[in-house]
Amino acid sequence: MVEEMKLLISQGHLLDPATGRDGTCDILIEDGRISRIKKSLSVRKAQVLPARGLLVFPGLIDLHCHLREPGREDEETIESGAAAAVAGGFTTICCMPNTEPPLDNKVAIRFVKDRARQAACRVLPIGCLSVRREGTLLAPYGEMAAEGAVAFSDDGSCVMDSLLMRRALEYTLLHQRPVISHAEDFSLARNGVMNEGALSVKLGLPGIPRQAEEIMVARDVALSALTGGRLHLAHLTTQEAVEIVRAAKKRRLPVTAEVTVHHLTLTEEAVLGYNTQAKVSPPLRTRRDVEVLVKALKDGTIDCLVTDHAPHSDEEKETGFENAPSGMIGLETALPLAWRLTLKDVKPMEVIAAFTTRPAMVLGLPPVGIEEGQTADLVVFDPQKEWVYRREKVISRSKNSPFLGWTLKGRVVYTLVGGQIAYRSPD
Amino acid sequence: MVWQRKDLLGLEELSSGEINLILETARSFKEVSSRQVKKVPALRGRTVVNLFFEPSTRTKTSFELAAKRLSADVLSFEVSTSSVSKGETIVDTARNIEAMKVDCFIVRHSVSGAPWLIARSVKAAVINAGDGCHEHPTQALLDLFTVRERFGRLAGLCLAIIGDIRHSRVARSNIWGFSKMGARVVVCGPPPLIPAGVEQMGCEVTYQLNEALSQADIVYLLRLQKERQRENFLPSLQEYSRLFGLDDSRYEGIRKPFFLMHPGPMNRGVEIKSALAEQSNSLILEQVTNGIAVRMAVLYLTMSGRR
């Protein structure tokens, strides 16, 4: 047993949405926990992480990522995904159950928890909403919850059977975990591969109308009203969906919502030239939608930011736009891309909240703040540092990102998970 | 005007000057096909590969003859979908064939954008012979050529395209091509087959066939794929034929003189009553003839263009 190391984060600027702390401090970490926070501490025999001019905030939580294990370990594993996560400042990630086989039973959930033990960050599995994700039979929520499933979802596919969705929402009253809805009417979306509109017509690609999302968001909100069930809406992309959620919140329904970083960063124009890296589900929308989504995040209609990190191999992405799978990786780029919102009058504290306190609230977890006694899941972030996101630098096992070659501003310097340095920037 | 492009992928990206250059080049090649010895040495020693991921006889044959009349060597690959399901990507397929030192790929694929993917990954010229519902540039070029030959001009004419605009790459390329050359384009068909937003490409939309026919100098009928009925775009082929097909009474009701075109193959009895295709104002076979000259021009320009 190595002697437990003391760690001192020295003179970083704390930004903590849970406690409202906003100022320069020293943070001492002992036994994996924050032991002292003071303007200035003198500690002997501590490893010092100099953080002057840098920001320190709670480790980020990603409510929505795909880790591909079991089944497609060539694309990502729990271990490689977690390594990418800590490089992006995440200390907790929730993985979606659309693996092969899917996570639709207690053994599968236990498998993920076992694998996660060696991972660089905390990995919380989400269980399937229906057996084999087929959208017909209820999955065993109680058993999966007992093994550590934190939410239930058939993400990747819409639950088309309204009665099944009703039942799933009713069960949230028992297990107190949210149902996460991929709200996109399949009969309208069908074989669509991008936003429907003048651009899809021009490119000759089958479109997905925005109404596919609007219809299902409205249905799910109605079912939440019917059942009192805890609904979380995944990756909203349209103005209309935002308006429905705003109205639902006004009615005090137990409804929350998320938006991905890429839907706030890119528009449908990114697919020009048949760029399969920009093919995602749901599709990238218009500039107007991006503006509305940013505003909704700021006013709290949308609760949190997620990555929807979805690794795919080059081979799969090279099969042509219509055949290529949807999704892009995002764990390593989410924070610097989201930080761009601070130029659009979203405050840094709000960006951090959207990645920390708010996703914790969505899952019903206790707030994670920078306080004495708290587990030391922390990020040290340099908001000024510019770097180029290059393929060779990608930590995720898959390289499918439309942001390769972008100059990003803001870099994670350290990520601490349970007081241990889980990531240290190479530059 | 000098041709600068490695590839011909679509008409959207071409200027009217470039289209004009292709049409002028085609005009000088047209004469070759009327000789007894139908061959010029322009591309001798060059290798052209037909890479067809989707079955086609007419376009493939037309390209093959065009290449042969320029003295190029031609290979035709019918890449069955099975080799794709074996795991080979289209990029792999193209790179493999390029490794045999070929100069030009003629690509047809059922997926929109596939030729772009290939053009980005090979040094050889790539000519789009039809991609998904996106573009079919050589078809539109031969249509432009045929109309210009007949009228002596393109500017000021009105082209009415009738049928399944939504799924038609021929329609898209013709909308770009004719509007760039100063013609008006009106599209007409049942509402589910006219995608909202198409007017932003530079055409007008009407759902009334008579309205489209009354303005047209050229009536361009599209082939109606029978599977559209299964996909619930149409209640029935009979109804389509009644509402949007060209039959005797409609034909005779058109007061303005017009020419009839069709990209082939025709569904006789669906979009057109059989005998009408053989009327004296039908340009359908001329389109086929001109296809060779236009494709010779495109092959010649892309393979000898300055890069």
Side-chain angles (χ1 to χ4, degrees):
Chain A
M1 184 77 191
V2 195
E3 197 191 337
E4 198 63 54
M5 192 71 155
K6 286 185 195 172
L7 212 57
L8 180 72
I9 302 175
S10 159
Q11 293 300 295
H13 185 117
L14 264 64
L15 276 179
D16 178 24
T19 58
R21 279 181 200 275
D22 182 353
T24 302
C25 278
D26 281 353
I27 304 176
L28 182 66
I29 295 156
E30 289 176 280
D31 300 329
R33 290 183 181 277
I34 297 168
S35 60
R36 294 186 69 192
I37 306 171
K38 248 189 130 180
K39 277 251 171 281
S40 171
L41 284 166
S42 61
V43 184
R44 272 175 299 170
K45 277 195 189 167
Q47 183 187 352
V48 178
L49 306 182
R52 191 178 293 279
L54 307 179
L55 300 177
V56 180
F57 40 83
L60 311 187
I61 302 172
D62 187 15
L63 276 187
H64 192 146
C65 70
H66 300 267
L67 298 182
R68 302 291 181 236
E69 187 179 358
R72 287 305 301 268
E73 290 83 353
D74 59 313
E75 293 182 331
E76 197 79 285
T77 62
I78 290 165
E79 194 176 339
S80 68
V86 291
F90 291 92
T91 55
T92 300
I93 56 179
C94 304
C95 57
M96 282 294 174
N98 59 336
T99 50
E100 294 169 28
L103 312 180
D104 67 352
N105 61 76
K106 62 181 178 185
V107 179
I109 298 294
R110 194 181 305 158
F111 167 82
V112 173
K113 296 290 281 186
D114 282 348
R115 284 297 163 125
R117 246 167 250 163
Q118 289 127 46
C121 69
R122 302 173 205 284
V123 179
L124 307 178
I126 294 167
C128 288
L129 188 148
S130 68
V131 173
R132 287 188 295 275
R133 304 180 61 251
E134 284 170 354
T136 46
L137 301 171
L138 293 176
Y141 306 132
E143 289 181 350
M144 288 194 283
E147 289 293 339
V150 293
F152 300 100
S153 180
D154 277 356
D155 180 62
S157 314
C158 182
V159 176
M160 288 300 289
D161 181 340
S162 300
L163 180 60
L164 179 74
M165 192 52 145
R166 172 186 182 163
R167 296 286 180 252
L169 284 167
E170 284 169 340
Y171 265 97
T172 65
L173 303 174
L174 173 67
H175 55 62
Q176 298 291 317
R177 286 159 173 78
V179 154
I180 303 180
S181 169
H182 180 130
E184 189 176 44
D185 187 324
F186 177 73
S187 53
L188 280 175
R190 290 183 84 198
N191 53 354
V193 295
M194 68 172 292
N195 183 42
E196 180 172 314
L199 194 63
S200 69
V201 171
K202 194 173 89 168
L203 291 171
L205 292 171
I208 300 174
R210 42 200 306 114
Q211 285 75 10
E213 176 170 291
E214 182 184 1
I215 287 169
M216 278 300 160
V217 167
R219 181 202 68 172
D220 290 344
V221 165
L223 292 174
S224 171
L226 172 66
T227 59
R230 178 66 190 87
L231 172 69
H232 179 69
L233 294 156
H235 42 49
L236 295 188
T237 65
T238 63
Q239 177 177 13
E240 296 82 353
V242 164
E243 278 159 15
I244 296 167
V245 173
R246 190 168 285 139
K249 289 195 163 183
K250 206 172 251 176
R251 292 165 66 195
R252 303 195 167 277
L253 295 176
V255 174
T256 54
E258 68 187 32
V259 62
T260 75
V261 173
H262 51 264
H263 284 111
L264 294 186
T265 310
L266 300 172
T267 66
E268 58 175 350
E269 309 260 314
V271 311
L272 279 173
Y274 298 95
N275 180 9
T276 57
Q277 305 296 6
K279 182 180 174 185
V280 279
S281 170
L284 299 169
R285 304 284 185 187
T286 66
R287 186 151 302 288
R288 171 91 191 114
D289 291 303
V290 172
E291 284 164 15
V292 168
L293 291 165
V294 170
K295 214 180 249 166
L297 181 73
K298 195 175 156 55
D299 72 21
T301 304
I302 290 179
D303 296 274
C304 50
L305 280 164
V306 299
T307 66
D308 198 359
H309 178 84
H312 289 293
S313 66
D314 291 342
E315 301 87 87
E316 286 184 334
K317 279 286 189 184
E318 274 182 8
T319 50
F321 201 88
E322 284 170 68
N323 297 332
S326 296
M328 57 177 78
I329 55 170
L331 285 165
E332 295 163 66
T333 50
L335 182 55
L337 289 173
W339 208 257
R340 291 152 52 107
L341 296 172
T342 60
L343 306 171
K344 285 195 204 164
D345 115 288
V346 181
K347 295 191 183 74
M349 193 72 104
E350 291 167 332
V351 173
I352 298 166
F355 273 128
T356 55
T357 44
R358 290 180 179 190
M361 178 273 293
V362 167
L363 292 178
L365 301 175
V368 278
I370 301 183
E371 281 182 282
E372 291 175 3
Q374 282 273 18
T375 304
D377 284 6
L378 297 169
V379 191
V380 180
F381 181 68
D382 181 349
Q384 299 303 325
K385 172 88 179 173
E386 290 194 0
W387 58 292
V388 180
Y389 187 50
R390 289 191 202 288
R391 193 183 163 91
E392 314 82 75
K393 289 189 192 165
V394 175
I395 292 168
S396 170
R397 211 169 258 198
S398 292
K399 319 295 172 194
N400 56 306
S401 169
F403 304 113
L404 291 176
W406 281 41
T407 299
L408 302 174
K409 194 172 178 192
R411 187 100 161 94
V412 171
V413 185
Y414 296 104
T415 303
L416 273 61
V417 178
Q420 303 290 313
I421 298 174
Y423 176 79
R424 185 195 296 264
S425 161
D427 8 291
Chain B
M1 180 102 215
V2 181
W3 186 260
Q4 305 270 12
R5 296 174 187 269
K6 169 171 100 70
D7 313 301
L8 175 72
L9 298 174
L11 291 198
E12 183 189 358
E13 63 232 43
L14 296 194
S15 66
S16 57
E18 286 172 303
I19 293 172
N20 204 37
L21 175 64
I22 297 171
L23 300 182
E24 286 302 317
T25 312
R27 196 155 69 162
S28 58
F29 279 130
K30 187 172 179 183
E31 175 267 332
V32 174
S33 294
S34 60
R35 296 181 197 168
Q36 188 131 38
V37 178
K38 300 178 182 58
K39 226 175 178 73
V40 289
L43 294 179
R44 193 163 58 196
R46 313 296 294 277
T47 309
V48 173
V49 174
N50 266 326
L51 193 53
F52 277 55
F53 295 87
E54 190 184 73
S56 150
T57 20
R58 307 158 62 104
T59 306
K60 196 171 66 182
T61 310
S62 180
F63 267 111
E64 211 169 304
L65 277 176
K68 284 180 171 161
R69 286 181 188 170
L70 293 168
S71 306
D73 296 311
V74 193
L75 270 177
S76 283
F77 282 73
E78 278 266 7
V79 191
S80 65
T81 40
S82 71
S83 77
V84 174
S85 61
K86 271 181 212 153
E88 192 176 54
T89 67
I90 53 177
V91 170
D92 270 337
T93 308
R95 282 191 187 135
N96 265 289
I97 297 168
E98 191 185 36
M100 300 179 219
K101 308 297 174 199
V102 306
D103 302 290
C104 177
F105 287 102
I106 295 157
V107 179
R108 166 165 291 192
H109 202 290
S110 57
V111 159
S112 299
W116 273 255
L117 198 58
I118 292 175
R120 274 202 295 265
S121 5
V122 299
K123 289 196 191 73
V126 175
I127 296 170
N128 181 1
D131 65 316
C133 303
H134 181 222
E135 282 228 40
H136 192 352
T138 58
Q139 176 70 46
L141 287 164
L142 74 89
D143 294 334
L144 288 162
F145 185 90
T146 305
V147 171
R148 187 154 87 171
E149 202 176 49
R150 198 43 81 122
F151 286 86
R153 66 189 164 102
L154 290 163
L157 297 177
C158 177
L159 173 77
I161 309 177
I162 318 292
D164 180 0
I165 309 298
R166 175 181 291 274
H167 299 97
S168 176
R169 51 196 177 209
V170 174
R172 283 180 181 72
S173 288
N174 269 322
I175 292 169
W176 293 124
F178 277 85
S179 59
K180 277 173 200 270
M181 300 308 282
R184 267 179 71 213
V185 181
V186 178
V187 301
C188 177
L193 295 177
I194 311 264
V198 72
E199 66 287 347
Q200 292 185 33
M201 294 173 67
C203 62
E204 296 156 44
V205 173
T206 175
Y207 305 121
Q208 308 300 328
L209 183 60
N210 286 333
E211 200 180 308
L213 295 178
S214 66
Q215 316 173 50
D217 297 297
I218 309 108
V219 172
Y220 198 107
L221 301 173
L222 295 174
R223 175 183 169 76
L224 185 80
Q225 306 277 347
K226 300 218 164 101
E227 64 259 29
R228 300 301 169 223
Q229 191 189 339
R230 268 204 319 277
E231 295 162 352
N232 244 340
F233 283 107
L234 309 166
S236 73
L237 290 178
Q238 290 86 326
E239 184 185 287
Y240 177 84
S241 183
R242 201 157 300 144
L243 293 175
F244 294 98
L246 196 59
D247 60 11
D248 290 327
S249 70
R250 281 231 172 75
Y251 187 88
E252 279 150 22
I254 305 174
R255 297 228 185 78
K256 189 174 172 181
F258 70 100
F259 287 97
L260 190 63
M261 297 176 82
H262 192 296
M266 279 181 280
N267 271 323
R268 289 174 186 263
V270 180
E271 64 261 12
I272 184 163
K273 190 184 170 207
S274 199
L276 297 177
E278 274 82 47
Q279 294 286 325
S280 61
N281 67 341
S282 164
L283 301 179
I284 296 172
L285 290 176
E286 275 182 46
Q287 289 174 273
V288 179
T289 305
N290 292 334
I292 306 270
V294 163
R295 289 179 175 119
M296 287 169 80
V298 168
L299 284 166
Y300 175 75
L301 289 171
T302 51
M303 286 164 78
S304 52
R306 205 172 53 186
R307 302 221 198 113

